[in-house]
Amino acid sequence: MRGESGSPGYSMLVHLPYSPDGARVLQVASWTPTSGLRYLTPTLFPEKYINFYGATINVTAFTHEPYWQESMEGNTTRYSGTDYNQLVAVAQALNFTFHVLPSSSWDEVTDQVQIRKSFMATVIYGVIPQELERWDVTFAFDQTAGKFAMATPVITPSWLSFYYPLSGQVWIGVLACTLTVCFTLVKITRRKMWQTRHGVLNTESVVMESVGTLLGQGLYGRLSTSQSNHILVGTWLFFGVVVGTAYRASLIASLTLPRLPPRPETVEELVKVVDRATIRSFDGSYKKFFLNSESSAFRELGSMMVGGDVMDGLNAALKMKSAHLGSPLNMQLVISRNFAKLDGTSPLYLGKEKLLQVSVAWPVPHDAPYTHQIDKCLRIISQAGLYEQWKKETLEATARESRMKQREEIKQQGLDGAEHSKPNIRNLSIIHIQGPLLLVLVGIAMGSVAFIMEWLLLFHTLEQSQSLHIKKVFDDWGGEVEQVKNLRVEAS
């Protein structure tokens, strides 16, 4: 350009995408040989994104409770959640309004950021090195730990329920003591000087007496009356009282309050019982991370991962050997809202082990010039504790809505709803006591078989004895006939 005297001169211009008059080009300085550099504004490089002057910017998000939620009120879409509250605070600080671009999937949310159609994705994303190749991230304003959710193991009564009150070592000890007492009593009652009025008792009678006293039955008075026998029987009775009382108490407790089956809590336990693990489609980078892990359990879990929505993943966990991986806060809300029963219990649970502790932020395009202003706002919000407060308020609101919904269901059910307020009393069914019943049936079957065998043996013995008797009778009769013939011959 030329100066006022026709000498050469230069102007410094800057483009302001947001100003009170909209996007415009502003001259900030000029230079001529005579006057030199002359400032037309306070600074040569004015901050472009400290104030958006009410402009509308495009953002992307997707429903992910409690961070971003969408609801319809007539024809108007209303948003809520922790990240929505944070976006509103940032918009007020930087003086802009926002328009949420429609997105049909998580991939589309980030794709629109990558092609710079969206200024940022305003829902939490884990900061993973692999994803930084596609976009940048803002200040990490929170941390989350991935967990897995799967179906709670169901109590299945077994016919071995009568065995569970005592451990295997105790049962072996009781069996050893019973055999020892039976052997000793047999030796005592076999001595002639210690015989009872019933004579020498056989082994079966001694075993019946010993086992009967162990099971709380009275003595029949058939054992020996010697002092050594009294000491042994007294000790055995005391042993039977202690063991029998402990067994009965533990049996009642195990039948009325059965212990839950062991459930997986760690990754090592998880990979042994599931065939697949669902994960949200936009978390595909986690699969690469797990597959490249040094842990064999993590690599095996990565090979099981398939994409799926949280509802689909939780439903699959109830129907098959599957688990769902995701944010514990999100899964807790979905479980309490869609799977919790009226009594507060749920068929799903969250594992204790944290699969991956990651920082979360908002994706922004590479080298976006406004990122540092967004970071400044997010840092202030995080340090002030507002984000944690919003999470707490969102959880309380969700729990309150769930309780109100349950009250409405109880009110609509009438008498059925009143039944849920009654204490949960478990009635023993045929399944719980199937073990003793099976023992009785087995004993009856074995006794019936023994009875039939004895009857057949007795019938066979009687048949043989009768045939021998008849043969003897015929033989005697034949001998008498011969004698009569011989006498007749002699007489003639």
Side-chain angles (χ1 to χ4, degrees), residues 65-83:
E65 299 178 323
Y67 308 101
W68 190 277
Q69 305 175 51
E70 299 182 5
S71 59
M72 295 298 297
E73 292 187 0
N75 296 328
T76 304
T77 303
R78 295 185 61 86
Y79 303 102
S80 60
T82 57
D83 284 41

Side-chain angles (χ1 to χ4, degrees), residues 36-224:
L37 182 63
R38 185 175 62 175
Y39 292 93
L40 303 179
T41 58
T43 177
L44 292 177
F45 304 100
E47 181 60 56
K48 298 181 180 182
Y49 300 97
I50 195 172
N51 192 335
F52 286 73
Y53 297 98
T56 301
I57 66 172
N58 293 326
V59 299
T60 51
F62 204 71
T63 301
H64 183 41
E65 299 178 323
Y67 308 101
W68 190 277
Q69 305 175 51
E70 299 182 5
S71 59
M72 295 298 297
E73 292 187 0
N75 296 328
T76 304
T77 303
R78 295 185 61 86
Y79 303 102
S80 60
T82 57
D83 284 41
Y84 171 77
N85 294 336
Q86 186 165 244
L87 176 60
V88 171
V90 174
Q92 292 176 352
L94 300 181
N95 190 20
F96 67 81
T97 59
F98 55 88
H99 169 65
V100 182
L101 296 175
S103 301
S104 59
S105 65
W106 285 104
D107 292 334
E108 190 174 355
V109 170
T110 53
D111 289 342
Q112 296 188 75
V113 173
Q114 190 173 359
I115 64 177
R116 298 179 182 272
K117 185 178 180 180
S118 170
F119 267 57
M120 55 188 170
T122 55
V123 66
I124 63 167
Y125 271 78
V127 180
I128 300 179
Q130 292 87 339
E131 295 295 341
L132 297 180
E133 300 175 358
R134 302 174 55 193
W135 55 72
D136 286 339
V137 291
T138 62
F139 171 75
F141 52 83
D142 196 15
Q143 288 189 343
T144 184
K147 288 189 175 184
F148 65 87
M150 62 183 305
T152 304
V154 181
I155 300 174
T156 55
S158 173
W159 65 275
L160 291 175
S161 57
F162 70 95
Y163 168 80
Y164 292 139
L166 301 179
S167 64
Q169 296 178 349
V170 176
W171 282 111
I172 294 175
V174 171
L175 178 61
C177 293
T178 304
L179 294 177
T180 303
V181 170
C182 291
F183 177 78
T184 307
L185 287 177
V186 168
K187 290 299 183 182
I188 291 176
T189 56
R190 289 294 173 86
R191 293 296 185 98
K192 293 184 178 180
M193 58 181 299
W194 291 328
Q195 291 179 9
T196 66
R197 57 188 179 87
H198 300 283
V200 179
L201 294 181
N202 55 22
T203 304
E204 291 79 4
S205 299
V206 175
V207 172
M208 290 293 293
E209 289 278 2
S210 303
V211 176
T213 54
L214 177 62
L215 299 179
Q217 303 300 317
L219 292 172
Y220 295 99
R222 298 181 300 178
L223 296 176
S224 174

Side-chain angles (χ1 to χ4, degrees), residues 65-69 80-93 122 124 141-142 329 333 362 377-400:
E65 299 178 323
Y67 308 101
W68 190 277
Q69 305 175 51
S80 60
T82 57
D83 284 41
Y84 171 77
N85 294 336
Q86 186 165 244
L87 176 60
V88 171
V90 174
Q92 292 176 352
T122 55
I124 63 167
F141 52 83
D142 196 15
L329 193 60
L333 283 177
W362 286 348
C377 297
L378 296 180
R379 187 179 294 107
I380 294 173
I381 293 173
S382 177
Q383 293 175 352
L386 290 178
Y387 194 78
E388 291 296 327
Q389 179 64 23
W390 289 331
K391 286 199 301 185
K392 180 180 178 181
E393 292 176 356
T394 304
L395 290 175
E396 291 177 351
T398 303
R400 185 166 53 253

Side-chain angles (χ1 to χ4, degrees), residues 384-458:
L386 290 178
Y387 194 78
E388 291 296 327
Q389 179 64 23
W390 289 331
K391 286 199 301 185
K392 180 180 178 181
E393 292 176 356
T394 304
L395 290 175
E396 291 177 351
T398 303
R400 185 166 53 253
E401 292 175 1
S402 178
R403 288 195 297 268
M404 292 176 62
K405 182 180 178 181
Q406 292 178 5
R407 292 193 186 100
E408 290 295 329
E409 291 179 354
I410 293 175
K411 186 182 298 184
Q412 293 176 2
Q413 290 176 0
L415 296 176
D416 295 337
E419 294 179 358
H420 291 281
S421 61
K422 296 180 179 180
N424 186 14
I425 301 177
R426 183 186 299 274
N427 296 324
L428 295 181
S429 63
I430 192 67
I431 299 178
H432 293 87
I433 56 174
Q434 58 182 323
L437 292 178
L438 287 176
L439 284 180
V440 172
L441 294 177
V442 171
I444 293 174
M446 294 178 63
S448 301
V449 172
F451 172 76
I452 294 173
M453 295 298 295
E454 291 177 353
W455 184 79
L456 292 176
L457 181 61
L458 179 61

